[in-house]
Amino acid sequence: MPPRTRGGYTSDAPRRRPTGSERRRRVHLREVDPVPDLDPVEHPQHDRDETEEVFEGAPRGPIDRSILRSFHKHVAAKIWLGEDRAPLKLVNHGAKLQLWELDMERSRIYETVHRSGLAPLTSCSHRVASRPMLSAFCERWQPETTTFHMPFGEMTITLDDVASILHIPVTGSMISFPQPLRVDDANALLVELLGTTDVEASRETEQCRSPSVRLLWLRDHFSTITDASSDDDIMFATRAFLLHLVGCTLFADKSATSVAVVYLELFRDLSMVGSYAWGAACLAYLYRQLTTATRFEVRQLGGYLTLLQAWIYEHFPEMFSSPDMSYTESRPRALRWRPHVIPDSLQSVRERLDRLQISEVCWEPYVDHRAEHPLPDIAWYSGCLKCGQVVEPYHPERVLRQFGYIQTIPPRPFTPPRPDRSILLEQYWERWTDHVLTDQSRGRRCHYSGSGESVPEYMAWYDRISHRIVQPPQLRSGFTTDARSSLPSHAASTSDTRAARALTLLRLVISGGREQSVDVFWGALNEAHGILAGSDETSASHSTPSPAPASHSTPSPATLPFFSPATFVYPPAASDDPPPLIVPPPPASVAPPAASGPPPPLIVPPPPASVAPPAPALDSTASTTVYVRAKRKKKT
């Protein structure tokens, strides 16, 4: 084969001039510093095109691409460039669980389900899920860190959240399968563990076109079995119920109608069902579903959405939640909320999250719940979570504020190993006590409970590696691109520039009329307040803006940091001595009160002469009678 030259052409082939796009791409690659790859193994879902080292067109996107290396494929990148995605279709089976309930006639099945630790799932699942709310949070999920990137830092669903919201075990054996199940093996498993015939099993898997069975098929064949049935039938029905339960909750897939038969292997020995770490497997499965939903072409979201929705209710109670006043702390926290579909659109939820401030977050929502369910030690585990062929990293060091600690700059996230190395993962998980965060790694606790503190350099680092604002300013409701381009630069820190910018912003809102939504007015006032109350020290601690030019030029609309979160001001430390009470003297113009005595008579001035007294009101019946009589006389 002829050797290739530097340009990629063989010595025998005619050399051609590169096109304009090729020349621009070469210049682009020479100007960009290469990002070092510190991971020896690249995750398959994080593969990226090496020619796309910088996400162009998004000044609010990650400047340092060493963390979010697949951001150019993220849905947030497409939204920033002007493309939009409709709310995701949600796979929620909360209503289907009520079609197969365990009453007194099926007490033997319920006893086995109760011993498995999965009984809370039968009552805490939400029947409805909010598409705009869950879709907006999916747009903030980052696969490399397995966290939600909010305007003020990272947040995620932890093992503590799973234990408190669902009350299912988060410790135990890792759920692992040796290899993916084939259709023939699925048929044999159905015959062995559910007592079906070969014809029934083959017909069902053929209809599903996969090694799965329909949820409806499980209900039709096993929901009629009671305590009066034989022991074998009760055992088959118990396995079918557990398979139906995890298919509707923990491992709900995008088929929306079926469940994989491979989970039936976990119910072979019914006495060992309670020994699995169901909460850890559920969290790994939900992580993977959120990761898949971050791709722009994906239109559906699976996983246990009750866990995701209840987590949002717990940490953002002022924005989305509707509490149930009859809730008691002995029950799962998922029952604390009344699920409802918020009337806001996806666009509105995006803008609300972009304007979200750190003071609006409930960082420690389970303080009242600790008496019933203390913080599990495994919540501090730093490693990998596994559910069958799904392996996802778990980083509590990135969300220290959710545990009441001051957030520091976390280490670089690690890439999980391949799923086929299940033996190493299981050994690592079994020794999870050796892989929890030490007291030194946790750092110092927050000065005030629920304050969400972070070290001063955290926000400057986070602004470089993250994409804090999803909705571009020129695409937000209530403002036009021309109006936004007329705003002065936000980089200057003088008081005159702040006042001019705040007044310009308020004039734009007032000129928009009353047809605009309340969110637009609230956001503009909040932004104006942040501009006027800003300071050089505050700006320097949260971001690293470029130095302001001598003359304020008109910036591009995409570079305006609209509705950026204001700096959180902590209350002063408590003092032992109370401050002195200072009562100001009354002004000199105020006369002293009169001496006590009978009150003066009330004098009512007469009405002006030009105002005529009101005429007495006529009775409606009399006026009608007069009108009828006059009409009759006229006819006569």
Side-chain angles (χ1 to χ4, degrees), residues 464-478:
R464 292 195 307 270
I465 62 99
S466 179
H467 184 68
R468 301 192 298 116
I469 307 299
V470 173
Q471 187 69 36
Q474 66 272 21
L475 297 181
R476 290 178 182 166
S477 58

Side-chain angles (χ1 to χ4, degrees), residues 323-371:
D324 186 357
M325 305 309 295
S326 62
Y327 169 78
T328 58
E329 295 295 340
S330 60
R331 299 189 296 169
R333 294 283 286 201
L335 298 175
R336 183 189 178 193
W337 310 103
R338 294 178 178 177
H340 63 285
V341 179
I342 60 175
D344 299 341
S345 62
L346 177 57
Q347 171 77 8
S348 177
V349 179
R350 285 175 185 165
E351 297 182 8
R352 292 174 66 184
L353 293 181
D354 284 343
R355 296 192 304 264
L356 190 65
Q357 299 185 13
I358 194 173
S359 59
E360 300 179 73
V361 181
C362 183
W363 293 100
E364 301 177 69
Y366 312 119
V367 176
D368 299 335
H369 201 62
R370 295 305 185 198

Side-chain angles (χ1 to χ4, degrees), residues 117-135:
L118 299 177
L121 300 179
T122 60
S123 58
C124 66
S125 298
H126 294 172
R127 297 190 60 181
V128 295
S130 177
R131 294 179 61 189
M133 181 180 67
L134 300 186
S135 300

Side-chain angles (χ1 to χ4, degrees), residues 42 44 134 220 245 252 285 287 290 293 303 312 317 328-329 349 381 393 432 450 611:
E42 187 72 22
L134 300 186
D220 292 343
L245 181 62
Y285 192 85
Y287 279 2
L290 289 170
I312 297 174
T328 58
E329 295 295 340
V349 179
Y381 161 78
W432 64 267
V611 179

Side-chain angles (χ1 to χ4, degrees), residues 519-540:
D519 293 340
V520 175
F521 288 99
W522 185 92
L525 293 176
N526 184 34
E527 176 67 9
H529 176 270
I531 294 173
L532 295 176
S535 62
D536 297 341
E537 292 79 5
T538 299
S539 302

Side-chain angles (χ1 to χ4, degrees), residues 66 68 78 85 110 114 133 137 168 183 228-229 274 300 304 310 340 360 391 395 455 458 511 529 573 612:
S66 61
L68 306 184
K78 303 293 185 181
R85 184 177 72 173
Y110 178 78
H114 181 72
M133 181 180 67
F137 273 88
I168 60 176
V183 176
S229 303
Q300 202 170 7
Y304 196 21
H340 63 285
E360 300 179 73
V391 179
H395 300 294
V455 294
Y458 173 77
S511 62
H529 176 270

Side-chain angles (χ1 to χ4, degrees), residues 621-636:
T621 308
S623 60
T624 306
T625 306
V626 172
Y627 171 77
V628 172
R629 289 179 180 177
K631 191 174 182 181
R632 290 178 179 177
K633 290 180 179 180
K634 187 175 181 181
K635 287 183 178 180
T636 305

Side-chain angles (χ1 to χ4, degrees), residues 339-516:
H340 63 285
V341 179
I342 60 175
D344 299 341
S345 62
L346 177 57
Q347 171 77 8
S348 177
V349 179
R350 285 175 185 165
E351 297 182 8
R352 292 174 66 184
L353 293 181
D354 284 343
R355 296 192 304 264
L356 190 65
Q357 299 185 13
I358 194 173
S359 59
E360 300 179 73
V361 181
C362 183
W363 293 100
E364 301 177 69
Y366 312 119
V367 176
D368 299 335
H369 201 62
R370 295 305 185 198
E372 297 289 339
H373 290 271
L375 174 68
D377 295 334
I378 200 172
W380 293 106
Y381 161 78
S382 181
C384 288
L385 304 177
K386 191 174 187 294
C387 176
Q389 299 298 313
V390 175
V391 179
E392 292 291 336
Y394 176 74
H395 300 294
E397 63 273 10
R398 307 189 73 89
V399 291
L400 293 176
R401 290 180 288 189
Q402 295 182 218
F403 298 95
Y405 285 79
I406 299 176
Q407 182 62 55
T408 58
I409 298 179
R412 192 170 186 266
F414 55 87
T415 301
R418 297 188 303 271
D420 55 358
R421 305 177 66 179
S422 59
I423 297 179
L424 297 178
L425 291 174
E426 291 177 2
Q427 294 177 354
Y428 194 90
W429 174 259
E430 290 176 357
R431 298 193 301 267
W432 64 267
T433 54
D434 300 334
H435 306 288
V436 297
L437 296 183
T438 61
D439 295 339
Q440 183 178 1
S441 301
R442 302 177 191 181
R444 296 179 292 111
R445 293 195 66 89
C446 294
H447 297 88
Y448 305 96
S449 178
S451 59
E453 301 177 53
S454 60
V455 294
E457 62 273 13
Y458 173 77
M459 286 305 301
W461 166 85
Y462 180 69
D463 198 35
R464 292 195 307 270
I465 62 99
S466 179
H467 184 68
R468 301 192 298 116
I469 307 299
V470 173
Q471 187 69 36
Q474 66 272 21
L475 297 181
R476 290 178 182 166
S477 58
F479 297 95
T480 61
T481 305
D482 298 336
R484 288 186 176 277
S485 62
S486 63
L487 292 175
S489 174
H490 191 59
S493 59
T494 62
S495 58
D496 295 340
T497 304
R498 290 200 199 100
R501 180 178 173 83
L503 291 175
T504 305
L505 178 62
L506 294 177
R507 279 196 296 268
L508 289 174
V509 179
I510 295 173
S511 62
R514 298 184 178 181
E515 291 77 11
Q516 303 176 92

